[in-house]
Amino acid sequence: MQIPAPRFRTLHFVLLAIIVASLPCYCAGLIAIRRAPGDATATPTAAPTASETAPVVPPSATSVGEATRTPTITATLMAFTPSTVTPTSTSTATSTPTPTATDTPPPTLTPTPTDTPLPADPPTASTTG
């Protein structure tokens, strides 16, 4: 078995990608056909009516009085009434929350830092002894 040339491999890959990408469209089409409503609409059809008329042949001395039957067909179209779908809506009651008052404590005062004086002479350690 030979290995295909790179351009043929690319072509095969592109064609395979197109086939795989189109599969969801086919599935969606099948689902749409299955969910479609039945034959609810009437289609106009022709109802043939046949009638025979015999032409009147004036009497002549040479004719024997032969009658010829000629069939005629009259087409009658039936009225087409398309079905209509009327959308309906159902309203539901919803409630809107109302704001309620909350008691918030008043702000408290924070103490401000004060300068504390440092001792002038730090104590020294004395050695006795």
Side-chain angles (χ1 to χ4, degrees):
M1 182 171 175
Q2 293 180 353
I3 298 174
R7 78 175 204 194
F8 287 118
R9 279 189 286 172
T10 304
L11 178 65
H12 290 162
F13 177 74
V14 169
L15 292 176
L16 182 67
I18 290 172
I19 291 170
V20 170
S22 66
L23 286 178
C25 297
Y26 288 114
C27 293
L30 288 175
I31 290 171
I33 288 172
R34 289 198 175 246
R35 295 190 61 172
D39 253 354
T41 58
T43 56
T45 57
T49 306
S51 64
E52 296 181 7
T53 59
V56 178
V57 178
S60 65
T62 56
S63 72
V64 178
E66 191 177 310
T68 306
R69 295 183 179 227
T70 307
T72 58
I73 297 177
T74 307
T76 306
L77 292 178
M78 302 174 83
F80 174 73
T81 307
S83 64
T84 58
V85 177
T86 306
T88 59
S89 64
T90 305
S91 61
T92 57
T94 57
S95 64
T96 306
T98 56
T100 56
T102 56
D103 293 330
T104 55
T108 58
L109 297 175
T110 56
T112 57
T114 58
D115 291 334
T116 306
L118 293 176
D121 291 326
T124 58
S126 62
T127 56
T128 54

